[in-house]
Amino acid sequence: CCHVWNLDSNVVQVLTGHENTLLAMDVSKTGELVATGCSGGTLRIWAMESFQSVITIDDVHDLGLTSCAFKPTENDHETTIVTAGNDADIKVWDFDMKNMNMNLKIVLKGHSAPVMSIAFSTAGNFLA
């Protein structure tokens, strides 16, 4: 499970659904969405308004998902989410909230070991 704290009100919401250890989490720039990933390779996208999982994709990474990041954007309804894993791959996903689907756009290869962390630049044009 994943805990989300509202630091203004001290309210805690628990997001349940992952069956394995939670390793990755990111909040979209607008705060409308949260992405979580686990050691079993599952990626979940959560709507913060309802605290419900809106998309679940299993086996995103064969050896477990280690990191995830939203591309900074003013619109969460059509955005990019990037995942990394123990399989040494980085995957770029197009997310369409209106149609509730995600499509794998590209797989970035080149690492010889697990990718433990990923992050976008503030403008969203670089990924490291």
Side-chain angles (χ1 to χ4, degrees), residues 4-84:
V4 178
W5 284 268
N6 181 325
L7 299 179
D8 294 330
S9 65
N10 227 11
V11 173
V12 178
Q13 292 290 334
V14 179
L15 310 178
T16 58
H18 284 289
E19 295 177 8
N20 295 287
T21 303
L22 187 73
L23 297 176
M25 180 180 190
D26 193 33
V27 179
S28 66
K29 183 177 178 182
T30 66
E32 292 179 32
L33 301 171
V34 170
T36 58
C38 72
S39 61
T42 299
L43 174 71
R44 286 183 179 265
I45 309 299
W46 306 82
M48 292 301 291
E49 183 177 301
S50 64
F51 297 103
Q52 297 295 312
S53 177
V54 294
I55 290 184
T56 301
I57 301 177
D58 293 321
D59 301 319
V60 171
H61 290 273
D62 294 336
L63 303 173
L65 194 151
T66 57
S67 186
C68 59
F70 282 97
K71 181 177 181 179
T73 179
E74 300 298 326
N75 176 7
D76 282 346
H77 298 282
E78 291 181 10
T79 191
T80 299
I81 299 170
V82 178
T83 61

